[in-house]
Amino acid sequence: MTAVVVSGAGRVFDGGSDAGTVALTDVDLTVGEGELVSLIGPSGCGKSTLLRLIADLDAPTSGSVAVFGKTAERARKDQDYGIAFQQAGLLPWRSVRANVELPMQLRGGAGQRGKSGQPNKAERAARSAELLALVGLTDFADHRPHQLSGGMQQRVAIARALARSPRLLLMDEPFGALDEMTRERLQDELLRIRATTGAAVVFVTHSIAEAVYLSDCVVVMSPRPGRVVATLDVPLGTPADRAARGIGLREDPAYFERVSAVREALHSGDAASDRVPT
Amino acid sequence: MSRQWQGSGKRLGPALAGAAGVLALVAAWEAYKALVPDDGWVLGEVRVLPRTTDVAMPHLWDMAARAAEPLTSAPDSPPLWLVTLQGAGFTLGVSAVGWVAGVVFGLLVAVLMARFVPARAGLLPWVVLSQTVPLIAIAPLVKRWGAQLEVGTFDWQDWMSVAVIASYLAFFPVSVGALRGFTSPDADADGVRLDLFRAYGVGWWTTFWRLRAPSSVPYLLPALRLAAANAVVGTVVAEVSTGLRGGLGRMIVEFGASASADPAKQWSPIAGAVLVGLAATGLVALVALGLRRYRVGEAA
Ligand SMILES: Nc1ncnc2c1ncn2[C@@H]1O[C@H](COP(=O)(O)OP(=O)(O)O)[C@@H](O)[C@H]1O
Ligand SMILES: [Mg+2]
């Protein structure tokens, strides 16, 4: 089953007296099971808005969004996806471990309760230990968030997003606030996590290199009004292959070729939008 | 090692500063008495500095000596300091009841305002207005209303009226501070935490208990401290204006009436009021200690 199907989605924000902001118009997007799709474009082009529509944190003013064949609202209430933002948003009064366990402690909607109930304390502890090992923070389980660096906090946020073993991961510039070194390390980590979990990912970024390195498919967007201008495949191998190749992949000519292709698409998208009369 | 030093220094700092403050106050009192003439300073018709006679400003050691003597000349009279301590205990108890009632009421009002946005617009002006009613004016009213109250075997006591007035002053900072705290996740980190809770598909109350309430602690603690000070002041003033016996308020008035004959006596209940204030501050510090997990700000 496809993870996400967005068809003809638009979002207009009320702007008080004037006509309002057209953040998105007529967006179509399909994310297959286990696929990693990046949304890339200049800031203000509606990437976050599109991600929030998929997450049902916001509703489209036209068109529709389906997640695993359900409405976005049903999928949210069933905790079908995990989500991470640019800000880690950890709860400062909880330990790292307790932060990771948070989504497992909170009751989802009625559907969730009916199906499997909540994981008990022992199950939660086992799961958080597993996830902290996955993001390399086992030794920090009892630390508090303020004792961690920005990169470590972001890894906790990713572990938390994975807590309920979602088959869909939504990420809005999760590495945007990190330095280049940490960023590349976390990109490799994300590839490894993908290889282990097989989850589909919608990944928002404004870094061309990051989008190409991580994605099966890069969706290029342009601003005013936000829309999809190109969809490019990135056939650079499975996530496990990529993670194994690491720096080798970042220096591969095939990788550079895709980077150029995305860059061209971005710039032609800009040019196209410049031609639109205002 | 150096960290531990820093830690204990941090804890010792306020205590040292407090002791230094008290010493400075003592020195200022006696220095003023020594330097300014008995009749104060009069410029033309106006006295710009108060008198320093032993009636107006007794020596601190005279106050201490008076506290050690019996309350009255009656043969079995207890010492003044003991009576003062008992009065301080009474006032502290009434203040504590008023504080707890005010905190509970203030939190309820804040939850209501956080939960229902229309309630916020409707209630907040009234919360602010409530504090412009003069305390002296409402104290006798509350006492009269209380006296008319009769529910089964429950009998309204006069001290309850005083506690109600204390709570009336205590609830205000709590409701305002708690509201700010409860709504702080709306702005924190672009509201990311609220987005997360929404993504978990949980309702308002779960979000409240797990996110809004813990987030409110850094805003709530200063409000609790302010509420404690308000409760003590409210209790003493209400004791005076309702004429309640047993507390420091009444003592200050009574001893003040005989000040020309026994000037050092009234300073004992005044010192007692300071003690009550310190005890109240200490109790709130204990609450803060219990909530210290929630006081950590977010780094980076
Ligand atoms: N809540 C909102 N209210 C009004 N306008 C908004 C809101 N959220 C986003 N916008 C507008 O929608 C456009 C797209 O925003 P966003 O999706 O955040 O862009 P991106 O994530 O690509 O930088 C911007 O012009 C922004 O100002
Ligand atoms: Mg964005």
Side-chain angles (χ1 to χ4, degrees), chain B residues 191-259:
Chain B
V192 158
R193 295 187 183 87
L194 278 175
D195 281 343
L196 276 171
F197 275 75
R198 187 169 154 75
Y200 300 146
V202 296
W204 193 89
W205 284 105
T206 305
T207 307
F208 176 79
W209 286 116
R210 298 281 189 176
L211 179 64
R212 292 189 186 274
S215 303
S216 74
V217 169
Y219 299 83
L220 196 57
L221 288 176
L224 292 181
R225 231 166 272 139
L226 216 59
N230 283 2
V232 171
V233 171
T235 300
V236 173
V237 173
E239 279 173 354
V240 171
S241 55
T242 65
L244 181 70
R245 299 190 161 277
L248 295 173
R250 179 67 184 242
M251 265 181 223
I252 294 173
V253 174
E254 266 178 18
F255 299 175
S258 59

Side-chain angles (χ1 to χ4, degrees), chain B residues 127-144:
Chain B
V127 169
V128 176
L129 262 180
S130 74
Q131 301 302 302
T132 63
V133 178
L135 187 56
I136 305 278
I138 56 167
L141 280 178
V142 172
K143 188 183 172 186
R144 204 175 319 140

Side-chain angles (χ1 to χ4, degrees), chain A residues 56-68:
Chain A
D56 188 43
L57 296 175
D58 191 10
T61 38
S62 58
S64 68
V65 178
V67 177
F68 295 119

